[in-house]
Amino acid sequence: MNATASALATDPTLLDIDEEVREALHEGRPVVALESSAIPHGLPYPANLDLALDIDTEVRASGAVPARIAMLDGKIRVGMTKEQLELFASAPDVPKVSTRDMAFALARGGPGATTVSSSLVAAELAGIPVFAVAGIGGVHRDAPLTFDISADLVQFTRSKVAVVCAGAKSMLHPAWTLEWLETAGIPVIGYRCDDFPAYLSVSSGVRNPHRLDDLREIAAVSLAHWRAGNATSTLLTHPIREADGIPSAEIEAALADATAEAQAAGVTGPAITPYLLKAISRATKGRTSAANRSVLLSTAALAGEFAVQFAAELAAYKSESGVRA
Ligand code: PSU
Ligand code: MN
């Protein structure tokens, strides 16, 4: 093998894995990967720190180990310590790092808050098969003019990770997002729900292509997807609790103003997602913050439960088929 760049293999020494996460992975115990971009780019300090810690607690409730991903000191950190969380929560200038930005953070050092896309790269590298986020990125509503389609979707076509979520973020186009996922061959499953959820609202008004009511069966579907040689993600969707959901009409009203404001202010690219999320929260006078908290916690709890079922399904498959751990 010559030493050209194309002969370079993936370098696992770029990973800096937390001790507890490393042990859990080594023993085949359930782990849930999480993103970090919502910490500096979501709520103000210290509410963002408290929320991150509460998310971890929800993941742990079913016996799974949380592994929050971040770029730090020229490495990919998997499983942030309390001190690292504190740093990300209190330093508002930590940049948002999507897949295209990872190499810069690695080569230069410095902190970076990973989005869904870059977190999936890290999760697969670390061997974590389950990832949780309340709202995935998707096809933006102005995509026909701007081509703004989240790197999250493209990353689903590259990472063998089961993604647990409450649908796509509220300001995206749900039907186009599902079309994109269908084209890419990504299985989308509604867990105990018929509709594709809309993050802060129970339904996006569009149906999920599949519904399954049993987590072990969803684990079996994910495994079957990978056993068949697909090197892509699977998507498990489950909505915000009915009582905490915000009616989509209310979100739409807030969005109309926020989108016009964003256009007038010339906000584009990666800045648009955090901008619109904050604007919706302001316009609904904090009601969104309560909904946001509810859906982040319920998604984390479900991901913990799913990780337990997936670990059991994987162990059963390995022992039946004689595949070595
Ligand atoms: N929450 C925030 N700010 C963000 C995100 C979430 O408060 O930037 C991230 C998520 O990690 C998601 C990403 O992966 O936004 C999608 O952004 P874009 O539409 O730029 O791809
Ligand atoms: Mn974008």
Side-chain angles (χ1 to χ4, degrees):
M1 182 76 67
N2 66 30
T4 61
S6 62
L8 274 175
T10 310
D11 180 3
T13 67
L14 288 178
L15 289 171
D16 172 23
I17 306 183
D18 174 78
E19 198 54 42
E20 185 194 10
V21 174
R22 184 185 295 279
E23 268 174 32
L25 288 172
H26 185 70
E27 292 164 14
R29 285 189 283 120
V31 175
V32 174
L34 301 160
E35 56 125 60
S36 55
S37 73
I39 302 173
H41 301 290
L43 292 172
Y45 180 79
N48 53 359
L49 175 64
D50 292 341
L51 184 52
L53 294 171
D54 290 345
I55 287 171
D56 288 2
T57 305
E58 293 296 327
V59 169
R60 287 185 191 283
S62 49
V65 175
R68 195 171 275 95
I69 315 275
M71 309 303 296
L72 211 56
D73 303 326
K75 298 246 182 190
I76 304 170
R77 176 74 192 179
V78 181
M80 292 172 79
T81 63
K82 176 112 194 270
E83 292 67 37
Q84 291 167 347
L85 280 174
E86 180 88 40
L87 169 77
F88 274 55
S90 57
D93 51 352
V94 177
K96 172 175 168 178
V97 170
S98 93
T99 305
R100 67 155 192 200
D101 311 307
M102 288 182 94
F104 298 87
L106 288 172
R108 292 175 176 167
T114 55
T115 64
V116 171
S117 66
S118 52
S119 300
L120 288 175
V121 173
E124 187 169 27
L125 204 53
I128 304 174
V130 179
F131 171 83
V133 68
I136 59 167
V139 180
H140 286 255
R141 296 188 192 181
D142 59 0
L145 291 173
T146 61
F147 269 69
D148 194 352
I149 298 173
S150 177
D152 295 358
L153 296 188
V154 177
Q155 197 57 49
F156 294 156
T157 73
R158 301 174 177 149
S159 299
K160 275 163 74 171
V161 177
V163 176
V164 180
C165 67
K169 291 196 163 67
S170 314
M171 65 284 190
L172 301 169
H173 196 297
W176 294 348
T177 299
L178 280 181
E179 287 292 351
W180 202 102
L181 291 167
E182 181 189 355
T183 302
I186 309 298
V188 179
I189 304 151
Y191 171 57
R192 298 188 179 172
C193 62
D194 292 319
D195 287 357
F196 186 57
Y199 174 49
L200 299 174
S201 309
V202 171
S203 167
S204 65
V206 190
R207 282 176 85 83
N208 270 314
H210 294 277
R211 170 182 172 144
L212 293 172
D213 290 355
D214 177 41
L215 288 181
R216 185 72 182 253
E217 202 181 344
I218 299 176
V221 165
S222 275
L223 200 56
H225 183 67
W226 296 328
R227 286 166 60 200
N230 295 291
T232 60
S233 303
T234 60
L235 227 62
L236 186 174
T237 74
H238 186 72
I240 187 169
R241 260 195 281 146
E242 190 97 37
D244 298 334
I246 301 192
S248 50
E250 214 171 302
I251 301 272
E252 290 306 315
L255 252 181
D257 293 342
T259 309
E261 258 175 53
Q263 257 166 14
V267 181
T268 56
I272 197 81
T273 292
Y275 184 95
L276 290 179
L277 289 174
K278 283 202 179 90
I280 296 172
S281 179
R282 263 200 318 275
T284 57
K285 301 215 171 51
R287 265 195 70 201
T288 343
S289 305
N292 194 41
R293 180 180 166 78
S294 165
V295 71
L296 280 161
L297 296 183
S298 62
T299 307
L302 176 61
E305 288 171 40
F306 178 71
V308 170
Q309 296 299 322
F310 185 81
E313 186 68 24
L314 184 63
Y317 167 66
K318 281 179 175 172
S319 73
E320 269 167 36
S321 64
V323 178
R324 272 154 44 91

